[in-house]
Amino acid sequence: MDFDIRPCTSSEEVKQAIAPIGYYFGRSTPNPDQAERLTRFLSAERVYAAWENGRAVGGLGAFPFELTTPGGRVPAAGVTVAGVLPTHRRRGVLRAMMRALLDACCERGEPVAYLWATEDTIYGRFGFGLASFTAEIDLPRDRSAFYAPFAACGRVRLISPTTAEAFLAPIYEGVAAQTPGMFARSSEWWQIRTLADPEWRRGTSGDLQCAVLENEGRPTAYALYRMNSAFERGLQIGSVAVIEAIGESPEATRAIWRYLLDIDWMARVKAWLLPVDHPLLLLLAEPRRLGFSLRDGVWVRLLDIKTAMSARSYQARGFVVVDVRDEFCPWNAGCWRVGSDGVERTEEAPGLRCDVSTLGSVYLGGFTWTQLARALRVHELRPGAAAHADAIFAVTSAPWCPEIF
Ligand SMILES: CC(C)(COP(=O)(O)OP(=O)(O)OC[C@H]1O[C@@H](n2cnc3c(N)ncnc32)[C@H](O)[C@@H]1OP(=O)(O)O)[C@@H](O)C(=O)NCCC(=O)NCCS
């Protein structure tokens, strides 16, 4: 290797380390404002780069997240800014950075890593498994009636995103703590990422808008969105782009979506990064009008099986023994007994055999053992073992990560 892999030592070096991924967004040098915002969350020692003659030719970092699991929370590395300059691709730069980054995460006591992938084929080799699907919708507003009318409760107020954190954060936190795949947001994250509205984020859309639903004076739901106003021969063809709409209860969620679906002048309502079990599917009179389509969501990598698996709950009594292969982090390999009475290494005969990436796929509840066995990603060594494991790993809601990091 003619490059040197090491963590950054200053925010100036972090800005260099994110230049390779920035290159693929068409930038010769990172957008200074975007880079400045990133360095607020990515401390230098959490960003690795491949250095060649003093220049970063690749970069890879990890946010320090608290990730919600089914029934718990776990420190997790939110892997981000993966990029290698096209002049240095396929020479092992990503592999070397991933080695250094994941080893450092283990040493810091982060038993899980997770990420959004630009391509499905990159991360499986490092032990990441597809852990969720995410949905997008593109709904003609004139076909957005609900299956049953409801009496509007509460009132919606428009507030400035700059003053919104106090209203939004408690609602988000209540939902995030219960929803596998979501992570806790710090006040800085709200201010610098969620509610900030720099020009470069807008594209062709309007300003960031914030609507809050209040019931008896208390915020119970909110929506962050942008209006894309457009006309063609006098006809409205614009759309509302929903960035995040969250309610603390089914009633509040229904009311904030009704608000979004009823905004005049907009021909369509579009949203991305929705959970696959979003209630709109069953709220609408004509669900097929949603154009509900799926793509891969987050990918999860268990770095320390015992700690990671102990940070989630299990539904049924009993246990399952899984024989795990893990080439990239061999300390995980072997037989594990997993269940509500604990997670331990075992000498017992396994009922299931799989790669560690498969554990990532079941971890948040996005996929069942049975589904994975049907796709030949799990080998069932004892008949019925997958169904038995499903009862133990059962979850009540699909994993959801409402933002790409
Ligand atoms: C994806 C990217 C980071 C890979 O970096 P790289 O240094 O070329 O990767 P490496 O040489 O370390 O490759 C490691 C392995 O991954 C494979 N691989 C890398 N990128 C791949 C891709 N896009 N599709 C399929 N396989 C890929 C390599 O073939 C190699 O396989 P091997 O270990 O079996 O030999 C780089 O191509 C890049 O920056 N792409 C554009 C930006 C991007 O997509 N970033 C990811 C954001 S989530």
Side-chain angles (χ1 to χ4, degrees):
M1 278 196 302
D2 45 4
F3 46 82
D4 172 31
I5 306 288
R6 64 164 175 82
C8 296
T9 55
S10 65
S11 54
E12 280 318 302
E13 282 196 352
V14 173
K15 288 174 189 168
Q16 286 191 54
I18 62 176
I21 185 64
Y23 180 87
Y24 291 94
F25 287 100
R27 298 200 65 99
S28 315
T29 54
N31 170 333
D33 178 54
Q34 198 172 2
E36 190 62 42
R37 286 171 192 277
L38 258 178
T39 58
R40 300 286 290 273
F41 304 104
L42 279 177
S43 52
E45 73 279 5
R46 297 190 65 96
V47 183
Y48 280 77
W51 303 93
E52 186 185 68
N53 303 324
R55 174 173 179 235
V57 296
L60 185 70
F63 294 115
F65 286 150
E66 277 290 309
L67 167 68
T68 304
T69 63
R73 268 187 161 162
V74 68
V79 177
T80 186
V81 298
V84 173
L85 287 176
T87 48
H88 290 70
R89 69 192 282 279
R90 307 303 181 265
R91 286 160 54 183
V93 175
L94 176 65
R95 174 172 286 273
M97 293 190 300
M98 190 66 83
R99 173 81 277 151
L101 184 90
L102 296 188
D103 286 350
C105 292
C106 285
E107 276 164 32
R108 270 195 292 265
E110 289 163 351
V112 177
Y114 85 131
L115 55 75
W116 289 90
T118 46
E119 291 184 60
D120 322 58
T121 43
I122 305 174
Y123 297 103
R125 76 194 68 244
F126 304 121
F128 287 82
L130 176 58
S132 71
F133 272 126
T134 186
E136 61 183 70
I137 59 166
D138 182 356
L139 172 67
R141 206 167 65 77
D142 59 1
R143 307 307 293 251
S144 71
F146 284 166
Y147 80 97
F150 72 100
C153 60
R155 85 189 171 117
V156 176
R157 272 203 305 141
L158 290 174
I159 61 174
S160 161
T162 54
T163 59
E165 181 189 337
F167 300 94
L168 277 49
I171 300 169
Y172 173 90
E173 177 54 25
V175 173
Q178 302 298 324
T179 308
M182 291 178 78
F183 57 85
R185 284 182 184 157
S186 64
S187 179
E188 254 202 327
W189 191 278
W190 276 103
Q191 292 302 329
I192 295 170
R193 286 189 67 117
T194 315
L195 298 173
D197 191 21
E199 194 74 41
W200 55 265
R201 265 204 185 160
R202 291 183 202 159
T204 54
S205 307
D207 302 343
L208 181 66
Q209 304 290 345
C210 179
V212 176
L213 172 75
E214 290 178 331
N215 292 92
E216 294 164 7
R218 201 175 62 80
T220 55
Y222 68 85
L224 292 166
Y225 59 99
R226 295 181 192 276
M227 312 269 280
N228 297 291
S229 220
F231 292 86
E232 203 172 82
R233 294 192 209 160
L235 295 176
Q236 298 138 6
I237 56 162
S239 59
V240 179
V242 181
I243 296 164
E244 186 167 292
I246 295 185
E248 65 167 27
S249 65
E251 291 78 9
T253 304
R254 176 180 60 177
I256 201 69
W257 274 98
R258 191 66 265 161
Y259 163 79
L260 290 165
L261 301 174
D262 284 345
I263 298 176
D264 287 331
W265 270 25
M266 298 294 123
R268 309 187 77 85
V269 176
K270 302 182 184 198
W272 301 264
L273 308 179
L274 300 178
V276 294
D277 58 354
H278 198 282
L280 269 183
L281 272 166
L282 295 172
L283 278 170
L284 284 195
E286 298 179 273
R288 74 177 69 160
R289 300 282 176 181
L290 281 168
F292 200 83
S293 60
L294 298 183
R295 52 156 283 193
D296 57 308
V298 289
W299 294 66
V300 167
R301 208 289 176 214
L302 302 193
L303 296 168
D304 168 351
I305 288 180
K306 181 174 167 59
T307 314
M309 282 297 195
S310 302
R312 55 156 291 172
S313 61
Y314 300 94
Q315 295 300 328
R317 294 196 63 77
F319 61 88
V320 55
V321 175
V322 190
D323 183 12
V324 181
R325 284 187 314 264
D326 190 343
E327 275 179 25
F328 201 66
C329 299
W331 56 85
N332 281 321
C335 285
W336 292 91
R337 185 187 203 269
V338 183
S340 51
D341 58 351
V343 179
E344 297 294 342
R345 279 195 179 280
T346 183
E347 303 281 307
E348 290 170 66
L352 299 166
R353 177 171 293 140
C354 63
D355 184 72
V356 70
S357 58
T358 301
L359 290 189
S361 295
V362 294
Y363 188 62
L364 299 175
F367 298 94
T368 64
W369 289 98
T370 302
Q371 274 178 304
L372 288 152
R374 275 195 216 120
L376 303 173
R377 290 185 178 244
V378 176
H379 188 42
E380 209 174 20
L381 302 170
R382 197 165 24 77
H388 178 60
D390 284 345
I392 292 170
F393 277 70
V395 295
T396 48
S397 60
W400 182 28
C401 184
E403 65 186 291
I404 293 182
F405 50 81

